[in-house]
Amino acid sequence: MADPIMIAGSLGDYLRARRALVSPADAGLPATGRRRVPGLRREEVAELVGLSTDYYVRLEQGRADRPSDAVLDALGRALRLGPAERAHLYDLARPPRRAAARAAAGGRADGLRSTLRQVVEAVPTAPAMIMNDRNDVLAWNRPAAALIADFPNLPPRERNMARRIFLDPDAREIHLDWNEAARTTVGILRMAAGRHPHDPELVRLVGELSLGSETFRKLWATHHVHEKTHGPKRFRHPAVGELTLGYESFQVPGAAHHLLVIYTAPPGSPAEEALNLLGSLTASRTASRTAPVITPRAGSTAS
């Protein structure tokens, strides 16, 4: 099993990864001298933040005291971090005590209220599902099962979008923007690792994906983080072809690590027509499987 410390990464790892992405020009600094590494030097970050170089070096080496909110905010500005990246910075800078983290991980219940399942199943034509921050799919409706994966017939362990993206050989055919899907999936798992570094299921998942996918290993090493909110998504389905949908994500009340994700198509668009066709095909197959078998009664005659 992978080490939880390796799963979450350290504050120093994250600072090094992020300063490598910021050029001196981005930060308003002159690009002087020959550079052996990309991005900002340690002393340049320290200057931008208003710290001594020695203190910043100790931050990257994990030898400094817990930085203040003011220091973290200044680091976020200097490294040009977005909201999700700033949240991850705080998670790494203020990790929970080991015992508390393990207790919290053990208490992460993924059971859903029956009414939530009913809400998802009641969405008639738009694919909808509830996921946790490990990318486990906890609830889905018929359109989601028809478009994305046959969730009802998959073992619970396989109802995980990260496993499907990186380990399913058909993933690149289904997800047309596979590279972006892979990157955002890793980013979601990175966010979860910062919040729950001792979650045993997450530790196992990251270990499995690291062993099974070179692409995952490379993406994990970038320390990219992502929070699923909204955006476009392109699919290819063998029965209805390619379709571009938009998705919106909603945090489930009472479960901060659960998201309701709904995919929709613009009215009158080819994507809407494809979704309607897929729904019709799925309904007809379901009806044919569940239609009662009628046998003639004794003494009756066929006409």
Side-chain angles (χ1 to χ4, degrees):
M1 182 186 295
D3 188 329
I5 296 175
M6 297 298 292
I7 294 298
S10 69
L11 175 62
D13 292 334
Y14 191 54
L15 292 175
R16 284 188 290 272
R18 293 304 311 185
R19 69 179 169 88
L21 299 178
V22 182
S23 70
D26 291 335
L29 298 173
T32 58
R34 184 176 180 181
R35 292 177 177 265
R36 294 177 297 175
V37 295
L40 297 176
R41 299 184 175 118
R42 288 172 170 174
E43 59 268 26
E44 290 171 332
V45 178
E47 177 185 347
L48 289 168
V49 177
L51 302 173
S52 70
T53 299
D54 176 67
Y55 179 75
Y56 180 77
V57 169
R58 286 189 285 120
L59 269 181
E60 282 202 1
Q61 294 176 345
R63 298 187 294 109
D65 294 333
R66 289 160 69 102
S68 67
D69 288 356
V71 167
L72 293 175
D73 287 343
L75 283 169
R77 291 191 296 271
L79 298 177
R80 304 171 69 85
L81 303 185
E85 295 153 345
R86 286 172 181 258
H88 189 62
L89 177 71
Y90 267 82
D91 288 337
L92 295 178
R94 309 282 172 78
R97 294 183 183 275
R98 184 175 295 265
R102 284 177 173 163
R108 281 185 6 122
D110 279 322
L112 292 179
R113 301 187 297 273
S114 60
T115 50
L116 284 172
R117 295 184 184 277
Q118 292 164 13
V119 166
V120 173
E121 292 167 0
V123 178
T125 58
M129 55 190 184
I130 294 178
M131 304 169 60
N132 63 17
D133 55 5
R134 289 191 298 261
N135 278 265
D136 296 320
V137 179
L138 308 174
W140 58 88
N141 65 355
R142 186 179 294 172
L147 177 65
I148 300 171
D150 188 10
F151 296 118
N153 292 315
L154 288 175
R157 182 176 175 277
E158 297 303 319
R159 297 172 190 156
N160 178 279
M161 292 308 299
R163 283 192 179 93
R164 302 204 66 77
I165 289 290
F166 288 101
L167 304 182
D168 182 354
D170 296 328
R172 291 176 186 266
E173 289 296 316
I174 299 169
H175 303 273
L176 293 178
D177 299 314
W178 186 88
N179 289 331
E180 181 62 18
R183 184 170 181 268
T184 57
T185 298
V186 169
I188 291 168
L189 293 181
R190 264 287 180 195
M191 287 282 289
R195 292 168 178 161
H196 313 287
H198 295 278
D199 177 357
E201 292 299 323
L202 181 59
V203 171
R204 277 191 283 271
L205 175 62
V206 172
E208 179 185 352
L209 297 176
S210 298
L211 290 173
S213 171
E214 181 181 1
T215 302
F216 179 86
R217 291 195 299 274
K218 289 180 178 179
L219 289 172
W220 190 255
T222 67
H223 291 263
H224 171 66
V225 296
H226 178 78
E227 193 163 26
K228 193 177 185 73
T229 55
H230 59 87
K233 178 73 175 178
R234 296 197 304 149
F235 295 95
R236 180 188 288 116
H237 190 277
V240 300
E242 298 182 8
L243 60 166
T244 300
L245 305 176
Y247 72 85
E248 294 284 343
S249 302
F250 308 91
Q251 189 176 93
V252 175
H257 59 294
H258 289 174
L259 284 180
L260 168 63
V261 184
I262 301 179
Y263 297 88
T264 60
S269 66
E272 184 185 49
E273 294 178 8
L275 276 183
N276 291 337
L277 176 58
L278 185 58
S280 299
L281 294 172
T282 305
S284 62
R285 291 193 193 105
T286 302
S288 65
R289 285 196 301 265
T290 58
V293 177
I294 302 175
T295 56
R297 290 180 297 174
S300 66
T301 58
S303 57

